[in-house]
Amino acid sequence: MTFAQYRVYFVLFFLVLSSWFLADLFQPKEAIKLEVRDHSPDYFSTGYFKKEMDHNGLLKNELKADEMIHYADDQTTHLENPIMTLYSIDLPPWIIKSEQAILEADGDNLQLLGKVFISRAGNANLRAIKLNTSELMVKLSTSYAVTSQWAEIIDDQNRTQGYGLQMTFKEPININFLSKVKGRYVFN
């Protein structure tokens, strides 16, 4: 057999090899699986700022944080150095600061972690109030806060401290210390 006779076999062999290669090239591959860790963030923000209005369109609260990270698995929002301001009509706002915070998926339960500082400026009818504590749980819908840690409340002339605190921010303000309560009061 001469080369001209083998040329037909060579062309057929080349076509078979080429079609096999092209079939392999365009064959659907297994889907690429992305590994998602159990507790991984789905979005984040630096310099976070949020305003919330009430049903009348009045400012209800503001939230600022150096960093906000939202986690998809449990729908929690983690905040670094948050500052929350709670507004009410005709009264000075409450300002709540902490080192860290976790807002639960329901958007109502806020865990303030580390040192917590709460203040409200005074006016002609109200004394200014400052509260220092740590590890405070706040239910935003009812303005209720609770901690089992040491806490102190300071106003213009008085100071009360103890362990464990239950507090309602809405008027009328209700503050209860749970144990080892000490106070210094000035009566006019």
Coordinates of all heavy atoms in Angstrom, one line a residue, residues 94 118 129 131 136-137 142-147 153 165-170 173-176:
W94 N -32.7 59.0 74.3 CA -31.8 58.1 75.0 C -30.7 57.8 74.0 O -30.9 57.5 72.9 CB -32.5 56.8 75.4 CG -33.5 57.0 76.5 CD1 -34.8 57.2 76.5 CD2 -33.1 57.0 77.9 NE1 -35.3 57.2 77.7 CE2 -34.3 57.1 78.6 CE3 -32.0 56.8 78.6 CZ2 -34.4 57.2 80.0 CZ3 -32.0 56.9 80.0 CH2 -33.2 57.0 80.7
I118 N -25.3 54.4 78.8 CA -26.6 54.9 78.4 C -26.8 56.3 79.0 O -26.5 56.5 80.2 CB -27.8 54.0 78.8 CG1 -27.6 52.6 78.2 CG2 -29.1 54.6 78.5 CD1 -28.5 51.6 78.7
I129 N -29.7 61.6 83.1 CA -29.4 60.3 83.7 C -28.3 59.7 82.9 O -28.3 59.8 81.6 CB -30.7 59.4 83.6 CG1 -31.8 59.9 84.4 CG2 -30.3 57.9 83.9 CD1 -33.1 59.1 84.3
L131 N -26.1 55.9 82.8 CA -26.1 54.5 83.3 C -24.9 53.8 82.7 O -24.6 53.9 81.5 CB -27.4 53.7 82.8 CG -27.6 52.3 83.3 CD1 -29.0 52.1 83.6 CD2 -27.1 51.3 82.3
L136 N -25.8 44.0 78.3 CA -27.2 44.4 78.4 C -28.0 43.9 77.3 O -27.7 44.0 76.1 CB -27.3 45.9 78.5 CG -28.6 46.6 78.8 CD1 -28.9 46.4 80.3 CD2 -28.5 48.1 78.5
M137 N -29.2 43.3 77.6 CA -30.2 42.8 76.6 C -31.3 43.9 76.5 O -31.8 44.2 77.5 CB -30.8 41.5 77.0 CG -29.9 40.3 77.0 SD -29.4 39.9 75.3 CE -31.0 39.5 74.6
T142 N -40.4 47.3 73.3 CA -41.0 47.8 74.6 C -40.0 48.7 75.4 O -40.3 49.1 76.5 CB -41.3 46.5 75.5 OG1 -40.1 45.8 75.6 CG2 -42.4 45.7 74.8
S143 N -38.8 49.0 74.8 CA -37.8 49.8 75.5 C -37.5 49.2 76.8 O -37.3 49.9 77.8 CB -38.3 51.2 75.6 OG -38.5 51.8 74.3
Y144 N -37.3 47.9 76.9 CA -37.0 47.2 78.1 C -35.6 46.7 78.0 O -35.2 46.1 77.0 CB -38.0 46.0 78.3 CG -37.6 45.2 79.5 CD1 -37.9 45.6 80.8 CD2 -37.1 43.9 79.4 CE1 -37.6 44.8 81.9 CE2 -36.8 43.1 80.4 CZ -37.1 43.6 81.7 OH -36.8 42.8 82.8
A145 N -34.8 46.9 79.1 CA -33.4 46.4 79.2 C -33.2 45.6 80.4 O -33.7 45.9 81.5 CB -32.5 47.6 79.1
V146 N -32.3 44.6 80.4 CA -32.0 43.8 81.5 C -30.5 43.3 81.4 O -30.0 43.0 80.4 CB -33.0 42.6 81.7 CG1 -32.8 41.6 80.5 CG2 -32.8 41.8 83.0
T147 N -29.9 43.2 82.6 CA -28.6 42.7 82.7 C -28.4 42.0 84.1 O -29.1 42.4 85.1 CB -27.4 43.7 82.5 OG1 -26.2 43.1 82.6 CG2 -27.5 44.8 83.6
I153 N -26.4 53.9 88.1 CA -27.2 55.0 87.6 C -26.8 56.3 88.3 O -26.8 56.3 89.5 CB -28.7 54.8 87.7 CG1 -29.0 53.5 86.9 CG2 -29.5 56.0 87.3 CD1 -30.5 53.2 86.9
L165 N -30.0 44.5 86.7 CA -30.7 45.7 86.5 C -31.9 45.4 85.5 O -31.6 44.7 84.5 CB -29.8 46.8 85.9 CG -30.5 48.1 85.5 CD1 -30.8 48.9 86.7 CD2 -29.7 48.8 84.5
Q166 N -33.0 45.9 85.8 CA -34.1 45.8 84.9 C -34.6 47.3 84.7 O -34.8 48.0 85.7 CB -35.3 45.0 85.4 CG -35.0 43.6 85.6 CD -36.1 42.8 86.3 OE1 -36.9 43.4 87.0 NE2 -36.1 41.5 86.1
M167 N -34.8 47.7 83.4 CA -35.1 49.1 83.2 C -36.0 49.2 82.0 O -35.9 48.5 81.0 CB -33.8 49.9 82.9 CG -34.0 51.3 82.6 SD -32.4 52.1 82.4 CE -32.9 53.8 82.1
T168 N -37.0 50.2 82.1 CA -37.9 50.5 81.0 C -37.5 52.0 80.6 O -37.5 52.9 81.5 CB -39.3 50.4 81.4 OG1 -39.6 49.1 81.8 CG2 -40.2 50.7 80.2
F169 N -37.2 52.2 79.3 CA -36.8 53.5 78.9 C -38.0 54.4 78.6 O -37.9 55.6 78.6 CB -36.1 53.4 77.5 CG -34.7 52.8 77.7 CD1 -34.6 51.4 77.4 CD2 -33.6 53.5 78.1 CE1 -33.3 50.8 77.5 CE2 -32.4 52.9 78.3 CZ -32.2 51.5 77.9
K170 N -39.2 53.9 78.3 CA -40.4 54.7 78.1 C -40.9 55.3 79.3 O -40.8 54.8 80.4 CB -41.5 53.8 77.4 CG -41.2 53.4 76.0 CD -42.3 52.7 75.4 CE -42.0 52.3 73.9 NZ -43.1 51.5 73.3
I173 N -40.4 56.0 83.4 CA -39.2 55.2 83.6 C -39.3 54.3 84.8 O -39.7 54.8 85.9 CB -37.9 56.1 83.6 CG1 -37.8 56.8 82.3 CG2 -36.7 55.2 83.9 CD1 -36.8 57.9 82.3
N174 N -38.9 53.0 84.7 CA -38.9 52.1 85.8 C -37.6 51.4 85.8 O -37.1 50.8 84.9 CB -40.0 51.1 85.6 CG -40.2 50.2 86.7 OD1 -39.6 50.3 87.8 ND2 -41.0 49.2 86.6
I175 N -36.9 51.6 87.0 CA -35.6 51.0 87.2 C -35.6 50.1 88.4 O -36.0 50.6 89.5 CB -34.5 52.1 87.3 CG1 -34.5 53.0 86.1 CG2 -33.1 51.5 87.6 CD1 -33.6 54.3 86.2
N176 N -35.1 48.9 88.3 CA -35.0 48.0 89.4 C -33.6 47.4 89.5 O -33.2 46.7 88.5 CB -36.1 46.8 89.3 CG -37.5 47.3 89.4 OD1 -37.8 48.2 90.3 ND2 -38.3 46.9 88.5

